[in-house]
Amino acid sequence: KQEVTQIPAALSVPEGENLVLNCSFTDSAIYNLQWFRQDPGKGLTSLLLIQSSQREQTSGRLNASLDKSSGRSTLYIAASQPGDSATYLCAPYTSGTYKYIFGTGTRLKVLA
Amino acid sequence: GAGVSQSPRYKVAKRGQDVALRCDPISGHVSLFWYQQALGQGPEFLTYFQNEAQLDKSGLPSDRFFAERPEGSVSTLKIQRTQQEDSAVYLCASSLGQRGEKLFFGSGTQLSVL
């Protein structure tokens, strides 16, 4: 059974810092992995989708890396802004299943 | 519509009542997922549809939960004889293809059972 852990659970940083959010998963037989952002009271927005054959995926100030064999993914946020404040969740899609399994997320607060 | 639409946005039910939650996915999306999210937790998988076929219902917590997508578009999640532990946000997501593609989520239905 796939289990997903995200560290840290919460993070508060001043504006402008570069951040690293960590995601680990127990079953490395994944098809891909998505990183999502969730604002309070809202649904989730997909930020990056990284295929199992890829090592990295970039979108603007966001960069996601994937080390499938070790069951780890990292979301790097460059030059953080107050608008980046949200909960960030990772979700691997396990091969042979029909589901994304989510971690509990990292609650990020960027202070102006 | 431009995105995934869920209704109602909020639902208050008395314990023992039946409720029905609706999801309108993005037009043409083959895959549809239901998730349950408790406060401060990540979404928990409930069920998955590929067009009208329910291919995975392993996450439904009890036989009081039932989901359908009869014409391969709109989906309804029904909860019978609601209990307090059913209180949560119910999220619907859709994706264009059949396997592991970008998910688009609705804003969710917040269910409170009193």
Side-chain angles (χ1 to χ4, degrees):
Chain A
K1 177 186 172 186
Q2 181 73 274
E3 294 182 1
V4 182
T5 302
Q6 291 189 244
I7 294 172
L11 188 59
S12 184
V13 299
E15 183 176 7
E17 281 205 2
N18 299 324
L19 307 172
V20 176
L21 308 182
N22 296 293
C23 169
S24 61
F25 46 94
T26 55
D27 186 348
S28 61
I30 64 168
Y31 188 70
N32 63 36
L33 183 144
Q34 285 192 58
W35 280 92
F36 295 85
R37 168 187 175 135
Q38 186 172 30
D39 293 283
K42 301 285 181 63
L44 284 70
T45 300
S46 179
L47 299 172
L48 289 165
L49 186 155
I50 183 164
Q51 299 292 351
S52 62
S53 58
Q54 295 178 307
R55 299 284 293 184
E56 281 190 5
Q57 190 68 255
T58 298
S59 176
R61 294 182 296 107
L62 304 179
N63 175 277
S65 66
L66 176 64
D67 185 344
K68 181 182 151 181
S69 60
S70 67
R72 293 180 183 177
S73 179
T74 298
L75 180 67
Y76 178 82
I77 303 175
S80 58
Q81 303 172 357
D84 295 331
S85 298
T87 296
Y88 291 82
L89 300 112
C90 70
Y93 187 92
T94 307
S95 299
T97 74
Y98 295 107
K99 60 188 106 173
Y100 281 95
I101 300 298
F102 285 83
T104 53
T106 294
R107 293 187 308 281
L108 173 65
K109 188 168 186 179
V110 181
L111 305 169
Chain B
V4 178
S5 178
Q6 291 188 246
S7 60
R9 185 72 180 88
Y10 301 95
K11 177 69 179 177
V12 178
K14 291 183 180 178
R15 191 172 55 183
Q17 279 186 332
D18 297 349
V19 298
L21 312 180
R22 178 186 169 105
C23 173
D24 278 273
I26 294 172
S27 179
H29 277 199
V30 167
S31 294
L32 186 144
F33 302 80
W34 283 99
Y35 283 84
Q36 180 190 60
Q37 187 174 28
L39 193 64
Q41 301 297 312
E44 295 278 344
F45 172 83
L46 294 177
T47 189
Y48 166 72
F49 289 87
Q50 190 176 104
N51 295 308
E52 69 279 2
Q54 188 176 23
L55 298 185
D56 189 338
K57 55 182 181 179
S58 62
L60 296 177
S62 75
D63 59 7
R64 296 186 296 104
F65 286 71
F66 172 77
E68 60 182 4
R69 192 186 185 197
E71 297 179 357
S73 55
V74 171
S75 177
T76 304
L77 177 66
K78 298 179 179 178
I79 308 173
Q80 297 177 323
R81 304 181 304 280
T82 52
Q83 303 294 316
Q84 283 190 323
E85 61 262 28
D86 300 335
S87 296
V89 176
Y90 291 84
L91 295 167
C92 175
S94 68
S95 65
L96 180 61
Q98 297 178 7
R99 284 188 70 189
E101 296 192 8
K102 181 176 177 178
L103 285 184
F104 294 84
F105 276 84
S107 296
T109 293
Q110 185 170 329
L111 173 65
S112 297
V113 182
L114 306 177

